Amino acid sequence: MNQAENQKVRFYQTGTYTVGNRLLDGDIRTVQASSDRSNSLDSGHRACQGCGEALGARYAIDAAMRETNNQLIACNATGCLEVFTTPYPETAWQMPWIHSLFGNAAAVATGVAAAMKVKGRQDVRVIAQGGDGGTTDIGFGCLSGMFDRNDDVLYICYDNQAYMNTGVQRSSATPPAARTATTMPVGPEPGNQFGQGKNVPLVALAHNIPYVATASVHDLHDLERKVKKAMSVRGSRYLQIFVPCPLGWGSKPCDTIKLARMATECGLWPMFEGEYGEITNTHKLRRPSKVDGYLKLQRRFAHLFKPGQEGQLAKMQDLADTNIRKFQLLEEGSDDE
Amino acid sequence: MNKPFAITLDVGTSLLNHTGSWRTERPVYVDRLPPCNSTCPAGENIQGWLFHAEEGNYEQAFYTIMEDNPFPAVMGRVCYHTCETACNRTTLDDPVGINAVERFIGDEALRHGWNVEAGEDSGKKVMIIGSGPGGLAAAYHLRRKGHQVTVFESAPKAGGMLRYGIPKYRLPREKLAGEIGRIEKLGAEIRLNSPVSDVANTMKKEGFDACFLGFGAHVGQQVDLPNDGSVPVHDAVTVLRDLENEQLPDLHGNVVVYGGGNTAFDVARSATRLGALNVTVVYRRDRDMMPAHHEEIHEALEEGVQIACLRTIKGISDGQLELEIMVTGDDKMPQATGQTEMMKADVLVQAVGQGVDLSPIANLQGIVENRGVIQVGYDMQTGCAGVFAGGDMVPSPRTVTDAIGHGKKAAKNIDAYLNGKIYVAPEKHDPAPYEELNTWYYSDAPRSIRPILDVARRQSGFAEVVGNLDEKTAQYESRRCMSCGNCLECDNCYGVCPDNAVLKLGPGKGFEFKYDYCKGCGMCVEECPCGSIEMVPEDI
């Protein structure tokens, strides 16, 4: 499955992993490779250097725009994505876009979808989007309700693992051991607690909705394929995209994609797809690695590399190993299928 | 105020917000020098011609090779491809089969009759001595600059060591003739059977404006051995020359070849093909120290050639060679042990070195000879103004590719000399080491292998040993190139920019940064697979 499915051509110079490639037929390049991509999120937005969320949002929305022939409305939760794109009266969105409150993006989207149904505009599709705070904490009630009603909305969560807009506070998507403004690296077990937080993709799956997937900004082909799949079905769908945050994670802006890649390849960010409550596909690891390399590039995990923290570091590796086992991320002859 | 409820400002686009002002470093597109190009003795733009081959445009690939080297079909057979040794892909899996692809392109060019044009006539005349790879390369490049060239060749056929030193099973003569013919079609005159005994005199008599010397090293050297006459002794150069002239050398029974270079193996493998019973290469140092190319040694062993390492020949008596056993000392040099052993031999061929006959330039003023070869400057010019030299007669590793490189370099300098100028080579780009690449983007692609003739057929004739790639495989192999340091139009920079600050200009035109919006995060640099973007500080 995954790439092998839609990538028949093999062995090009840069294989199937680059954004495009002059040697590939147009239909197997990504939407992002096309010079007429919609650029739904345009230049001039005020995201930090190397923002993973800005990148993830353009990837996902451009792909959805292509699938819906540009008949798309986005409902945004409060958060970085809203603030850096749309400081009134200026906006970076080149599409119909609405922002209401922090916690109600799913409910607003439900309303927009209902309105479109009443108007007989089934061709207009609706996306709700927000960060992990607006999704997994503040907007969680509305989100669960939307899943329960199976409203025709694709909800995209851009997961940067904390409340970055307000100054890096812990959310229920913050990983264990991470330093945030509210989980300082002090005491015998510094940083965020182990054993807390929510795995919202699995929670979404438990609602038996038509489609749930996790994706990452480092693997554009995979991400676009998942958006395309999500737009091909009706009902509630959920996509959580891993988007590193240089500011909140204390990483170099140029390392955003590299970190996303490393998180996936060490097992800390498992990529899977599920339909109606069942996991149907997992993204196998091309070059499996240990967690250290990924963690070392981020200041929020710097305390894990101090003397006496070996146990905490081992617990991080355990998390990754558990994911690898649970989601069956390895397969024989791992590097490529 | 005619605005909707609660709206006081006109809506605007974020494009008014020039985020480029945040930047302290800017990304710029660069071309770097890939390791293949950097090590090629002929200075080929290998990454450049592979780029065209990747698209299946073999004709353009051929023209790109021809900018530097007029012998792709020959190169694709006899070059020892230092490019592949240097290839960055070695670190990932195996080097790109550059040599195999070059041969495919060379053969395609001969099959289709692709050709290049000579330059506009300059009215200058250049004399070239020797039609080996150096002389012909010089002739070719000079013709493309519009100079008249006359190549003097003492042998009955053109090609020098390509013909008289490299056996047919490595270089079929129709391919050699095809590529030489292409140079003749450019208007280079080759005078066969025309030895030049006095260069100074001939230059003056025929009114040449400059001269390139490419004598080659055709004098076979021998070690003086006490010999009772029971075993005939030949030198390798003569044996290979006789082979080409179809005066079949008498290599029968137990043939022993003395020496460990490529010439020794050419003789040994030829002897096998001529029906010798046993062929043994005797070499005084360790097998690892053999100067012969490992592929040559490997193929010889496959064909049944035996190797006796750490042996020197002390003398010949009663149809036997007395060999002294050596050991490798701490300084890696062989040391005699005093122990000896006997080896039966019917013929001994000495491949222990080749000298240059310098007598034709005895009358030239200013030539400096050193250890049997002549000194040239960085411009390939000898101490005598207007006389240039290259190939085996100047200090060099003595490979075909080096000679071709000398010919090209000399031609550029001769051209400048004829125009009263000094040639200044363009500055080289910064290197493109493996560390500059982001290899995550390159999918696994095992190296393809050229077909090889069965050993039984190799032992019984001079048919070509190594076969050609088919078109599909050649294209696949060229696509294994990682395009180190040079944009391959993969669209990564265009895709990964969080600020939409890269403009895609269309096929063949590359990309451009929109500096009004680029915040200088450097993600495009980090994610460029081939390392052709770099960050430079802004003037603040």
Side-chain angles (χ1 to χ4, degrees):
Chain A
M1 274 285 275
N2 61 55
Q3 285 168 352
E5 195 178 58
N6 64 334
Q7 294 289 332
K8 298 280 189 297
V9 186
R10 310 295 287 172
F11 301 130
Y12 280 112
Q13 247 173 354
T14 56
T16 49
Y17 306 106
T18 51
V19 169
N21 191 332
R22 73 188 202 284
L23 303 172
L24 292 172
D25 286 341
D27 56 346
I28 39 178
R29 299 182 202 178
T30 62
V31 173
Q32 289 300 313
S34 151
S35 43
D36 61 355
R37 70 186 188 201
S38 54
N39 279 334
S40 316
L41 178 50
D42 209 358
S43 308
H45 63 70
R46 295 156 191 235
C48 309
Q49 286 183 326
C51 175
E53 188 171 34
L55 190 58
R58 195 187 73 225
Y59 282 178
I61 303 298
D62 278 2
M65 289 282 270
R66 165 85 53 105
E67 286 313 298
T68 56
N69 205 16
N70 298 341
Q71 298 300 303
L72 194 68
I73 297 174
C75 308
N76 219 120
T78 304
C80 278
L81 186 62
E82 173 255 321
V83 169
F84 74 66
T85 60
T86 317
Y88 174 75
E90 169 190 293
T91 186
W93 292 103
Q94 305 200 78
M95 65 180 303
W97 180 89
I98 182 175
H99 166 242
S100 172
L101 299 173
F102 208 152
N104 68 353
V108 171
T110 294
V112 174
M116 287 301 138
K117 194 175 173 187
V118 169
K119 291 177 77 174
R121 291 296 304 272
Q122 294 291 302
D123 58 321
V124 179
R125 307 293 299 273
V126 183
I127 280 183
Q129 57 181 356
D132 51 293
T135 305
T136 72
D137 298 342
I138 300 177
F140 193 63
C142 293
L143 181 69
S144 180
M146 184 191 93
F147 289 159
D148 177 40
R149 297 184 301 270
N150 198 26
D151 295 318
D152 186 16
V153 173
L154 167 62
Y155 193 104
I156 304 176
C157 169
Y158 303 104
D159 179 6
N160 57 20
Q161 305 193 322
Y163 290 86
M164 300 313 184
N165 182 40
T166 48
V168 198
Q169 292 87 7
R170 178 200 178 272
S171 80
S172 58
T174 302
R179 178 196 72 186
T180 66
T182 48
T183 57
M184 294 305 279
V186 290
E189 294 187 353
N192 192 26
Q193 295 276 311
F194 278 82
Q196 295 188 350
K198 296 177 202 169
N199 188 329
V200 172
L202 288 181
V203 175
L205 195 66
H207 286 76
N208 287 328
I209 55 174
Y211 186 68
V212 173
T214 56
S216 164
V217 280
H218 83 277
D219 195 338
L220 179 59
H221 285 269
D222 181 70
L223 189 155
E224 288 192 351
R225 186 180 58 78
K226 285 167 176 167
V227 172
K228 191 175 174 182
K229 176 90 190 281
M231 297 314 290
S232 72
V233 288
R234 297 273 173 174
S236 276
R237 291 141 285 143
Y238 182 74
L239 179 62
Q240 189 161 328
I241 303 175
F242 190 77
V243 291
C245 171
L247 177 80
W249 296 12
S251 58
K252 286 197 281 182
C254 62
D255 283 343
T256 296
I257 290 181
K258 188 201 254 179
L259 281 170
R261 184 155 56 228
M262 291 171 105
T264 304
E265 302 211 324
C266 72
L268 282 176
W269 181 251
M271 296 209 286
F272 68 90
E273 291 174 278
E275 292 169 42
Y276 298 105
E278 271 184 77
I279 290 181
T280 51
N281 181 33
T282 58
H283 184 91
K284 305 298 179 197
L285 303 186
R286 240 180 105 204
R287 295 177 187 167
S289 57
K290 294 288 169 203
V291 296
D292 307 38
Y294 165 66
L295 300 175
K296 265 188 186 157
L297 293 177
Q298 307 171 54
R299 281 202 306 279
R300 64 173 175 160
F301 291 116
H303 53 275
L304 288 178
F305 297 95
K306 290 187 176 152
Q309 290 297 315
E310 295 76 11
Q312 298 292 96
L313 189 60
K315 274 157 80 181
M316 292 302 283
Q317 184 62 53
D318 277 351
L319 281 181
D321 293 344
T322 306
N323 281 339
I324 289 173
R325 197 174 60 244
K326 186 164 138 190
F327 294 98
Q328 296 169 15
L329 300 179
L330 295 182
E331 72 184 356
E332 273 171 56
S334 256
D335 197 23
D336 222 338
E337 48 285 316
Chain B
M1 207 165 84
N2 187 18
K3 290 201 167 70
F5 171 69
I7 297 290
T8 54
L9 296 170
D10 281 320
V11 289
T13 160
S14 61
L15 293 176
L16 298 172
N17 187 19
H18 285 186
T19 52
S21 61
W22 302 10
R23 196 174 56 231
T24 55
E25 284 183 304
R26 66 164 59 197
V28 287
Y29 291 105
V30 292
D31 289 326
R32 294 179 193 271
L33 181 64
C36 50
N37 294 5
S38 165
T39 63
C40 178
E44 284 189 28
N45 181 3
I46 295 163
Q47 177 276 330
W49 56 257
L50 282 172
F51 185 90
H52 297 297
E54 285 153 24
E55 294 170 348
N57 191 348
Y58 305 112
E59 190 170 356
Q60 192 54 49
F62 167 73
Y63 293 131
T64 309
I65 297 176
M66 291 294 277
E67 289 302 306
D68 303 296
N69 190 335
F71 290 111
V74 169
M75 277 295 94
R77 291 176 164 84
V78 306
C79 180
Y80 290 117
H81 44 76
T82 47
C83 50
E84 293 188 24
T85 312
C87 179
N88 275 336
R89 185 138 198 149
T90 313
T91 315
L92 196 64
D93 43 29
D94 285 306
V96 176
I98 297 166
N99 191 248
V101 179
E102 185 167 21
R103 167 177 170 169
F104 174 81
I105 294 167
D107 285 6
E108 281 294 286
L110 288 174
R111 192 162 71 86
H112 293 286
W114 295 331
N115 217 336
V116 292
E117 305 266 307
E120 208 175 309
D121 193 8
S122 69
K124 307 279 186 186
K125 286 172 68 183
V126 182
M127 169 164 94
I128 289 173
I129 302 183
S131 67
L136 288 179
Y140 164 81
H141 288 289
L142 288 167
R143 279 306 297 145
R144 293 200 68 181
K145 301 259 187 216
H147 307 301
Q148 269 186 50
V149 294
T150 306
V151 183
F152 293 82
E153 172 56 59
S154 61
K157 286 179 180 170
M161 276 300 180
L162 290 173
R163 181 180 294 277
Y164 294 102
I166 298 178
K168 286 178 189 156
Y169 61 86
R170 281 180 60 203
L171 177 55
R173 297 308 184 234
E174 71 274 13
K175 303 293 178 191
L176 177 61
E179 298 208 314
I180 293 176
R182 204 161 52 205
I183 296 171
E184 284 182 292
K185 265 196 207 140
L186 270 183
E189 183 197 352
I190 304 179
R191 292 191 199 163
L192 301 172
N193 299 308
S194 307
V196 175
S197 55
D198 186 336
V199 171
N201 191 23
T202 312
M203 255 185 100
K204 203 168 148 196
K205 205 169 71 191
E206 299 208 24
F208 288 108
D209 301 298
C211 171
F212 176 80
L213 311 174
F215 294 175
H218 289 271
V219 184
Q221 291 167 342
Q222 296 203 21
V223 180
D224 257 340
L225 297 171
N227 187 354
D228 66 357
S230 59
V231 178
V233 181
H234 306 288
D235 75 81
V237 179
T238 310
V239 167
L240 291 172
R241 182 160 56 224
D242 289 351
L243 190 63
E244 182 60 25
N245 288 335
E246 309 212 328
Q247 301 161 346
L248 292 185
D250 188 18
L251 301 177
H252 66 282
N254 297 299
V255 177
V256 177
V257 184
Y258 194 23
N262 289 315
T263 308
F265 282 89
D266 285 339
V267 171
R269 296 178 67 187
S270 295
T272 306
R273 285 162 170 77
L274 290 169
L277 200 58
N278 275 310
V279 182
T280 311
V281 171
V282 174
Y283 180 56
R284 70 192 173 95
R285 294 195 289 183
D286 206 352
R287 162 97 182 265
D288 301 342
M289 317 273 281
M290 276 193 168
H293 197 265
H294 64 90
E295 282 176 14
E296 197 82 27
I297 299 173
H298 177 74
E299 286 175 12
L301 288 171
E302 280 182 338
E303 289 161 14
V305 171
Q306 292 171 319
I307 300 179
C309 283
L310 291 166
R311 299 287 185 278
T312 53
I313 302 178
K314 301 285 286 179
I316 305 166
S317 56
D318 294 334
Q320 291 203 315
L321 307 179
E322 188 191 359
L323 304 182
E324 177 164 18
I325 300 172
M326 314 292 283
V327 291
T328 305
D330 293 338
D331 57 354
K332 302 272 181 199
M333 294 305 286
Q335 292 171 356
T337 59
Q339 287 173 285
T340 59
E341 62 184 21
M342 303 305 283
M343 177 184 277
K344 200 169 162 355
D346 296 307
V347 187
L348 174 65
V349 181
Q350 294 209 35
V352 292
Q354 289 158 230
V356 185
D357 176 11
L358 294 174
S359 60
I361 47 175
N363 289 341
L364 280 179
Q365 299 301 310
I367 300 267
V368 182
E369 185 204 323
N370 186 11
R371 306 175 78 169
V373 291
I374 61 168
Q375 297 295 313
V376 285
Y378 65 93
D379 57 355
M380 307 308 289
Q381 192 163 198
T382 64
C384 176
V387 176
F388 297 73
D392 290 356
M393 68 181 296
V394 304
S396 82
R398 289 193 169 179
T399 70
V400 175
T401 324
D402 280 286
I404 290 172
H406 291 168
K408 169 182 144 187
K409 199 170 170 187
K412 286 182 176 170
N413 285 292
I414 292 171
D415 176 61
Y417 171 82
L418 293 175
N419 290 309
K421 292 178 188 154
I422 289 172
Y423 173 72
V424 182
E427 206 171 310
K428 284 191 175 167
H429 293 147
D430 288 339
Y434 184 79
E435 295 67 36
E436 298 280 344
L437 309 178
N438 188 335
T439 56
W440 185 82
Y441 289 103
Y442 298 98
S443 58
D444 293 349
R447 180 181 161 101
S448 49
I449 291 166
R450 283 188 267 196
I452 292 240
L453 203 62
D454 288 340
V455 169
R457 297 202 42 210
R458 277 148 65 176
Q459 286 166 333
S460 57
F462 281 80
E464 186 167 26
V465 172
V466 180
N468 200 358
L469 298 178
D470 60 21
E471 196 268 342
K472 217 175 135 204
T473 319
Q475 190 176 46
Y476 161 84
E477 193 58 34
S478 49
R479 284 177 172 186
R480 291 183 68 241
C481 172
M482 303 197 289
S483 195
C484 308
N486 293 274
C487 178
L488 55 106
E489 292 178 39
C490 73
D491 300 326
N492 256 20
C493 50
Y494 176 61
V496 303
C497 178
D499 295 290
N500 272 357
V502 179
L503 204 59
K504 181 170 171 172
L505 301 175
K509 299 189 191 122
F511 306 86
E512 204 175 86
F513 289 108
K514 295 192 265 186
Y515 290 115
D516 276 353
Y517 300 106
C518 167
K519 293 171 186 162
C521 67
M523 207 122 80
C524 50
V525 177
E526 200 64 34
E527 299 307 317
C528 175
C530 64
S532 96
I533 313 176
E534 69 180 14
M535 296 301 279
V536 297
E538 289 284 357
D539 297 324
I540 302 170

